[in-house]
Amino acid sequence: MALIHCPICDKRNSDKAKACQHCNTPFDGDQEALARQKRIAKIKKQASLTTHSFASLTMVVAAITVYFWGLETPSPERQMTAYSLGFVGSVWYVVSRVRLFLSKRGGA
């Protein structure tokens, strides 16, 4: 028994299996149905990455709001919270946009 990769989810399955145990993609299906499922999986991945980038931008906006709330000099705790939120949100945004770019390019 050998292990093969599913063409849709890229997880390993037995070569004796009739369908992927993770995403239920049939291995003996026609090529047109398989190509359609690949397109759907790619669109879902891109939609998920777009949602991640919007969530990270929301985190950056929250950091700016926390820092400037009340237009007074922020306390050290509030400053650290704002800096942490801003840093994590910025890194998350860059990573999600790079992954989205690579996904649209066909690399990842």
Side-chain angles (χ1 to χ4, degrees):
M1 176 176 83
L3 294 176
I4 59 172
H5 288 276
C6 173
I8 301 298
C9 67
D10 203 35
K11 296 195 178 175
R12 296 188 309 175
N13 293 284
S14 168
D15 62 344
K16 308 277 188 225
K18 302 237 186 259
C20 176
Q21 64 181 351
H22 305 285
C23 65
N24 294 327
T25 301
F27 293 139
D28 57 354
D30 61 343
Q31 293 300 324
E32 186 177 315
L34 190 59
R36 184 176 44 238
Q37 287 179 337
K38 279 185 180 181
R39 280 194 311 272
I40 290 170
K42 185 175 182 179
I43 289 169
K44 284 182 180 180
K45 181 178 180 183
Q46 289 175 354
S48 173
L49 290 172
T50 302
T51 302
H52 284 212
S53 65
F54 285 135
S56 62
L57 281 178
T58 303
M59 189 179 283
V60 171
V61 169
I64 294 169
T65 303
V66 165
Y67 189 83
F68 289 110
W69 190 263
L71 296 175
E72 58 195 32
T73 305
S75 65
E77 294 85 17
R78 200 167 81 188
Q79 263 185 341
M80 187 55 70
T81 302
Y83 291 154
S84 300
L85 275 173
F87 178 75
V88 170
S90 300
V91 169
W92 186 18
Y93 179 76
V94 169
V95 168
S96 64
R97 294 307 290 188
V98 167
R99 289 182 62 204
L100 183 62
F101 173 75
L102 291 175
S103 173
K104 286 186 176 183
R105 232 176 131 211

